[in-house]
Amino acid sequence: QVQLAESGGGLGQPGGSLRLSCAISGFSLDQYSIAWFRQAPGQERERVSCIDSSNDHASYADSVKGRFTISKDYAKNSVNLQIDNLNPEDTGVYFCAAALGCFPGAANDYWGQGIQVTVSS
């Protein structure tokens, strides 16, 4: 059974950091690319980062470049998203997804339930 489970969200302060994790079961990290999305209140879901299944190449939305870092943990079969220099615009629900690639418009076969991140002082 395929499952993706996000953890690590919560309340963060502006300028601080949070580390999200996507625990994966039912497939290995070389079978799917893993993407992180976020959905801010009243806005559409946007992909913020993706890591390729075969070459571990990481990609980022322009809005988060330099502050977000995606990485794989093969020992835990999970994918982490490190968020540094938090700002209020990072507030939203973050989802991880099993993607068929990291190219624009790639389909996502499986989704996690999402986790709330709130940035506020």
Side-chain angles (χ1 to χ4, degrees), residues 3-48:
Q3 284 189 323
L4 293 88
E6 301 92 344
S7 62
L11 178 64
Q13 291 194 337
S17 298
L18 283 174
R19 186 176 182 86
L20 307 183
S21 183
C22 176
I24 296 158
S25 58
F27 65 89
S28 61
L29 292 176
D30 60 354
Q31 291 182 278
Y32 278 98
S33 299
I34 302 301
W36 281 95
F37 292 77
R38 73 181 176 192
Q39 188 162 19
Q43 297 187 22
E44 293 186 355
R45 191 176 299 186
E46 65 165 336
R47 194 177 79 181
V48 293

Side-chain angles (χ1 to χ4, degrees), residues 43-97:
Q43 297 187 22
E44 293 186 355
R45 191 176 299 186
E46 65 165 336
R47 194 177 79 181
V48 293
S49 185
C50 187
I51 189 162
D52 190 84
S53 59
S54 59
N55 60 18
D56 290 359
H57 176 73
S59 58
Y60 302 94
D62 288 342
S63 58
V64 305
K65 276 181 182 175
R67 298 191 301 115
F68 285 30
T69 305
I70 191 170
S71 62
K72 292 182 181 179
D73 185 334
Y74 284 96
K76 296 181 179 179
N77 207 47
S78 65
V79 174
N80 299 316
L81 185 70
Q82 176 74 27
I83 307 174
D84 295 319
N85 194 19
L86 285 163
N87 63 60
E89 288 71 37
D90 295 325
T91 294
V93 180
Y94 285 70
F95 301 85
C96 60

